[in-house]
Amino acid sequence: MIKLDSPFQYKGLSLKNRIVMPPMCQYSVEAKDGAPNDWHFVHYVSRAVGGTGLIIMEMTDVDPDGRITDYDLGLWSDEQVPAFARIISEVQKYGTKIGIQIAHAGRKAQDAEVPVAPSPIAFSDQFKTPRALTTDEVKEMVGLFRDAARRAVEAGVDTIELHGAHGYLIHQFHSPATNKRSDEYGQDPALFGIEVIQAVKSVLPPEMPLIMRISAVEYIDGGYGLEYSTELCRRYREAGVDIFHITSGGEGPIGSGGRPGIHPGYQVPMARAIKEALDVPVIAVGILDDPHLAAATLGNGDADLVAIGRAMLRDPYWALHAIKQLNGELVPPKQYGRAF
């Protein structure tokens, strides 16, 4: 039976356990230059010291106007690479693997003077109305994702995650609610995501797996459901995605689609459904704070990896504490050995 401390191997990615720290924006780039600073260094390295198997660095944007706010990370310039490399190399010293989530906020770019999106539809009354990208600009955007991925590889990452969830740009293209285009990217809503995947794969080492985060269910009026997202994932898998990170929502104000009670494990059934339909490794996320619940998610075969978000913000050593609580094989840093 798979446990929290069970190793995980997929292509060239070898993890010491099944615990993932998912990307969570820190809004802490005080210089507004997209480069991580000492806050990010301490934030990520402390979770590596704390025993996490895989860390996925927060949403890192391919363009300055693709940030949610100007305080977000970016990889639109080669000058940003060394700051990422400093964190990545230090995390890896503790046996933790690390990736970066590559993204563009699209219509949710709050500090962009004029946000861009597939169609000129605002996220809400509190957000600016975006400008629709031209067809040529969409193709240029694919290149920005490729270039950001290349820089992430140069910085030394073990994997890359594409953000296709929570109402950001890739999600905006593949959602019928936000893509009203008449060109090829409207006729095939998955095309932009497919081209981004293929472009990113072209700069990844052959054995480096590509992860993609997907909102499996939308909660807006007329939003898509699990059948639609499963077919999206099927096409994205064919384009080159190796592992799916399953979440939900984030595309707009909650409407008739409703949102289930935000109870522990509420998104796990979505992860299991996509895992079973496509026979792909999946990461489950969604209030899996209780080590017993996280372990059950793995042991029941619902997911291959479990992502622990807010609980890991509260406790950088969640992984060590969870494995100890479950009487797993514990290997704390030698400096902390006497405490365990």
Side-chain angles (χ1 to χ4, degrees):
M1 184 177 69
I2 297 173
K3 301 178 181 180
L4 280 181
D5 61 336
S6 297
F8 175 82
Q9 178 78 43
Y10 192 88
K11 290 188 171 180
L13 181 66
S14 179
L15 306 181
K16 62 184 178 183
N17 60 48
R18 303 291 177 122
I19 301 167
V20 178
M21 179 183 178
M24 293 174 285
C25 288
Q26 298 296 291
Y27 306 109
S28 295
V29 184
E30 299 296 334
K32 300 184 181 182
D33 60 355
N37 53 34
D38 285 348
W39 171 267
H40 302 91
F41 183 89
V42 172
H43 175 63
Y44 290 114
V45 174
S46 62
R47 273 71 187 177
V49 171
T52 310
L54 172 65
I55 291 171
I56 305 176
M57 291 184 72
E58 67 205 78
M59 180 171 168
T60 299
D61 299 290
V62 303
D63 182 80
D65 283 341
R67 293 173 288 179
I68 302 172
T69 77
D70 288 347
Y71 294 92
D72 292 337
L73 296 181
L75 265 176
W76 61 78
S77 168
D78 292 349
E79 294 178 357
Q80 295 159 327
V81 171
F84 282 92
R86 171 178 175 247
I87 293 172
I88 290 164
S89 63
E90 192 67 22
V91 162
Q92 291 166 338
K93 289 180 182 178
Y94 298 95
T96 294
K97 301 302 171 67
I98 183 168
I100 297 176
Q101 185 187 70
I102 304 297
H104 188 293
R107 68 177 187 163
K108 294 178 80 173
Q110 298 173 32
D111 288 343
E113 185 174 349
V114 181
V116 296
S119 302
I121 304 170
F123 177 69
S124 73
D125 292 342
Q126 285 72 49
F127 281 72
K128 300 169 186 173
T129 298
R131 175 181 66 81
L133 291 159
T134 67
T135 302
D136 286 344
E137 286 174 331
V138 176
K139 296 182 185 302
E140 291 170 3
M141 187 69 72
V142 171
L144 295 183
F145 274 85
R146 179 197 61 232
D147 293 344
R150 171 184 58 78
R151 295 182 184 107
V153 171
E154 290 175 3
V157 293
D158 300 293
T159 186
I160 283 175
E161 177 173 283
L162 292 175
H163 202 346
H166 296 164
Y168 299 114
L169 190 62
I170 294 175
H171 185 169
Q172 290 163 32
F173 268 93
H174 69 223
S175 173
T178 47
N179 184 347
K180 306 295 184 182
R181 303 174 68 91
S182 58
D183 65 358
E184 58 194 292
Y185 294 101
Q187 294 164 13
D188 181 1
L191 180 60
F192 176 67
I194 288 170
E195 290 186 350
V196 168
I197 292 162
Q198 293 171 337
V200 167
K201 290 285 281 193
S202 74
V203 297
L204 263 58
E207 289 303 303
M208 181 181 289
L210 177 64
I211 304 171
M212 190 171 195
R213 200 167 203 192
I214 288 286
S215 284
V217 175
E218 293 185 318
Y219 303 127
I220 55 173
D221 293 335
Y224 67 68
L226 196 53
E227 183 177 352
Y228 184 89
S229 63
T230 300
E231 182 56 31
L232 273 178
C233 289
R234 187 186 310 278
R235 296 191 64 197
Y236 289 161
R237 181 194 62 182
E238 292 170 355
V241 174
D242 297 291
I243 301 169
F244 287 98
H245 190 172
I246 307 302
T247 181
S248 63
E251 69 296 327
I254 296 173
S256 61
R259 186 164 68 178
I262 308 303
H263 53 265
Y266 75 104
Q267 294 177 142
V268 170
M270 305 173 199
R272 183 183 184 105
I274 289 175
K275 174 179 171 63
E276 291 182 340
L278 302 183
D279 191 27
V280 291
V282 299
I283 305 170
V285 67
I287 319 181
L288 301 177
D289 303 7
D290 186 327
H292 292 281
L293 175 58
T297 299
L298 296 170
N300 292 335
D302 297 324
D304 301 271
L305 299 161
V306 287
I308 310 299
R310 289 172 176 81
M312 208 172 283
L313 292 182
R314 293 190 294 271
D315 178 7
Y317 309 105
W318 187 94
L320 289 175
H321 293 153
I323 293 171
K324 184 175 188 295
Q325 182 177 332
L326 298 175
N327 298 314
E329 185 176 343
L330 193 66
V331 186
K334 62 181 181 181
Q335 297 92 334
Y336 292 171
R338 75 190 72 176
F340 290 90

